[in-house]
């Protein structure tokens, strides 16, 4: 079993103001990779903190998608600038391209997540896309992030949509690892199931409080623990199971669905939520149980119909493209049985969609 975890994880209010002190002695000249929105929110604080510790830096503005070409460009720039670290500031796409670049340049990787929509700031894997935004491949990096500096305030002040997506993406870690437990008796999977259950129980019990606090600008222990669940627990689960983190159905559904341009308006966790409901049908859970899951997702704001997910026109044709891609590229998913073909996935998606619509009628 190979476990890849950061050397240091920090989640506290105003942590970004101490970034210079945190990395001093470890890094002397990083290459900062940040998105436009992340730079706008963090530049003054990061620059002030680094300058106070006499840490110089180069920088590059990330736009588009995390591609192999961009990772190679950033690695080349880091080498040319004699940088000893990649300092990634932003969301999941920035993290993915930066981790790949840091591994290519063989230098330290420091991540400063400005949203908590995924565990990308921790995970050793980089999700690589095409220039157009379709999923291309997983890159299992030789090493993961060295240091994670999560500023609780910055993350909590981001649009609440990101936290919602991060919550359901974290719930997926339990649904997917638990689904594979029947066929995988390795200690790593058992650890992943147990750890992800801790996050699942906390998030489902406190969802309403968490969302209300964030919307009201309250940063308390509930919010801090939510960020820990999304980044630390979900990331840790991935560090145990490696590529088995995608052995369920929801993440393969997300990656396959990127082939459909209309789905790219959804965040990672939002599309994963759709995949989780389809997975529940494929697992032959009862209607009552599936509707309970939908109610839980609806409380988070993450229960979507096929139409809302980008499958509103030519629905069956789009689902067939996604289903065939799942079977072709992710056929090892423990949720898919030998007899499953594209039609069974399409039928499961349509049935899950009907359940979402029925649950919504109950509320009206």
């Amino acid at each position: 079993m190979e476990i890849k975890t950061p050397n240091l994880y920090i989640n506290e209010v105003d942590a970004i103001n101490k970034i210079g002190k945190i990395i001093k002695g470890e890094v002397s000249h990083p290459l900062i990779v940040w998105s436009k929105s992340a730079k706008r929110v963090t530049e003054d604080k990061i620059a002030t903190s680094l300058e106070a510790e006499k840490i110089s830096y180069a920088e590059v503005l990330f736009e588009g998608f995390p591609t192999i070409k961009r990772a190679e460009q950033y690695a080349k720039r880091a080498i040319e600038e004699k940088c000893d670290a990649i300092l990634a500031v932003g969301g999941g796409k920035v993290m993915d391209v930066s981790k790949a670049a840091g591994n290519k340049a063989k230098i330290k990787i420091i991540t400063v997540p400005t949203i908590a929509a995924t565990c990308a700031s921790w995970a050793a894997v980089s999700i690589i896309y095409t220039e157009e935004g379709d999923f291309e491949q997983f890159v299992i990096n030789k090493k993961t992030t060295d240091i994670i500096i999560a500023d609780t305030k910055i993350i909590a002040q981001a649009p609440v949509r990101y936290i919602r997506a991060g919550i359901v993406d974290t719930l997926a870690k339990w649904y997917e690892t638990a689904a594979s437990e029947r066929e995988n008796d390795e200690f790593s999977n058992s650890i992943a199931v147990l750890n992800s259950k801790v996050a699942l129980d906390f998030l489902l019990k406190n969802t309403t409080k968490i969302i209300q606090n964030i919307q009201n600008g309250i940063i308390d222990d509930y919010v801090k623990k939510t960020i820990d669940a999304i980044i630390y627990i979900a990331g840790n689960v991935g560090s145990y199971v490696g590529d088995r983190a995608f052995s369920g159905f929801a993440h393969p559904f997300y990656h396959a669905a990127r082939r459909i341009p209309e789905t790219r308006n959804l965040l990672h966790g939002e599309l994963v939520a759709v995949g989780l409901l389809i997975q529940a049908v494929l697992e032959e859970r009862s209607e009552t149980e599936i509707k309970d899951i939908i109610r839980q997702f609806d409380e988070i704001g993450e229960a979507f119909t096929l139409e809302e997910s980008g499958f509103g026109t030519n629905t069956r044709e789009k689902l067939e493209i996604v289903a065939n891609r799942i079977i072709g590229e992710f056929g090892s998913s423990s949720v898919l049985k030998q007899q499953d073909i594209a039609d069974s996935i399409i039928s499961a998606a349509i049935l899950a969609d009907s359940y979402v619509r029925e649950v919504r009628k109950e509320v009206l």
Side-chain angles (χ1 to χ4, degrees):
M1 178 171 64
E2 185 175 342
I3 302 173
K4 301 173 184 177
T5 60
N7 297 326
L8 178 65
Y9 166 73
I10 295 171
N11 171 21
E12 60 184 56
V13 172
D14 294 329
I16 201 167
N17 294 332
K18 300 188 293 185
I19 190 169
K21 290 182 179 179
I22 293 168
I23 69 174
K24 185 180 182 180
E26 298 276 339
V27 176
S28 60
H29 184 60
L31 173 66
I32 301 179
V33 179
W34 41 21
S35 63
K36 188 181 297 184
S37 57
K39 181 177 181 178
R40 184 176 62 250
V41 171
T42 65
E43 182 176 20
D44 290 345
K45 293 177 180 179
I46 289 178
T48 299
S49 184
L50 293 180
E51 288 168 8
E53 302 301 329
K54 296 181 172 52
I55 298 173
S56 61
Y57 62 89
E59 62 177 300
V60 62
L61 192 65
F62 170 82
E63 295 179 297
F65 295 94
T67 64
I68 289 294
K69 182 179 179 180
R70 280 193 179 84
E72 290 172 344
Q73 289 173 341
Y74 297 167
K76 182 181 178 183
R77 174 76 184 279
I79 293 169
E80 290 174 346
E81 296 274 358
K82 294 183 171 53
C83 296
D84 52 1
I86 297 280
L87 178 58
V89 186
K93 294 182 177 64
V94 172
M95 303 300 155
D96 282 334
V97 74
S98 297
K99 289 180 296 185
N103 273 268
K104 288 179 181 295
K106 298 181 180 178
I107 56 179
K108 292 182 183 295
I109 304 162
I110 301 164
T111 56
V112 182
T114 54
I115 58 175
T118 67
C119 65
S121 58
W122 179 300
V125 65
S126 284
I127 310 302
I128 300 299
Y129 296 79
T130 66
E131 289 288 353
E132 293 73 33
D134 188 10
F135 165 77
E136 184 174 286
Q137 61 176 301
F138 306 115
V139 172
I140 307 297
N141 295 311
K142 187 174 181 179
K143 75 182 189 72
T144 192
T145 306
D146 293 281
I147 300 173
I148 301 174
I149 303 170
D151 189 308
T152 320
K153 184 189 295 184
I154 288 175
I155 293 173
Q157 290 176 342
V160 70
R161 180 186 181 191
Y162 294 113
I163 286 283
R164 293 181 193 273
I167 288 172
V168 78
D169 187 48
T170 303
L171 299 180
K173 296 297 189 292
W174 181 80
Y175 283 107
E176 293 188 286
T177 55
S180 64
E181 192 173 26
R182 294 185 298 270
E183 302 170 10
N184 180 4
D185 60 358
E186 294 180 9
F187 277 136
S188 59
N189 194 76
S190 297
I191 293 168
V193 173
L194 290 171
N195 284 357
S196 58
K197 186 66 163 55
V198 172
L200 178 113
D201 289 344
F202 169 76
L203 293 172
L204 290 182
K205 180 180 178 181
N206 299 295
T207 293
T208 301
K209 181 71 172 176
I210 293 163
I211 300 300
Q212 285 178 346
N213 284 359
I214 290 174
Q215 289 177 324
N216 293 326
I218 299 170
I219 301 172
D220 61 0
D221 197 49
Y222 286 99
V223 173
K224 184 180 184 299
K225 285 181 178 177
T226 300
I227 294 169
D228 282 339
I230 296 169
I231 296 177
Y232 159 53
I233 297 182
N236 198 38
V237 167
S239 72
Y240 283 115
V241 300
D243 56 357
R244 288 184 181 273
F246 306 99
S247 59
F249 180 86
H251 277 82
F253 175 80
Y254 166 81
H255 297 303
R258 297 289 299 189
R259 183 64 50 84
I260 309 300
E262 292 86 349
T263 68
R264 297 173 195 167
N265 292 323
L266 269 69
L267 298 176
H268 172 86
E270 293 170 341
L271 206 48
V272 163
V274 179
L276 282 174
L277 297 181
I278 299 172
Q279 174 178 314
V281 175
L282 289 170
E283 289 179 299
E284 299 180 345
R285 293 175 183 253
S286 68
E287 178 178 338
T288 299
E289 189 174 4
I290 294 171
K291 286 186 174 180
D292 283 343
I293 295 172
I294 292 170
R295 292 185 190 98
Q296 292 168 350
F297 286 9
D298 193 48
E299 188 177 354
I300 304 168
E302 296 292 301
F304 300 101
T305 64
L306 287 175
E307 182 177 5
E308 293 163 346
S309 307
F311 294 92
T313 57
N314 302 317
T315 302
R316 191 170 187 88
E317 180 183 332
K318 289 177 180 176
L319 287 173
E320 186 172 2
I321 291 170
V322 174
N324 284 326
R325 191 180 188 193
I326 290 171
I327 293 169
E329 297 182 28
F330 306 97
S332 61
S333 167
S334 58
V335 175
L336 299 176
K337 309 298 189 297
Q338 189 66 36
Q339 70 270 22
D340 276 315
I341 56 175
D343 278 348
S344 62
I345 296 175
I346 293 169
S347 297
I350 291 171
L351 182 56
D353 177 76
S354 71
Y355 286 152
V356 173
R357 294 175 185 277
E358 287 174 18
V359 168
R360 284 186 178 177
K361 288 180 180 177
E362 295 173 3
V363 180
L364 297 177

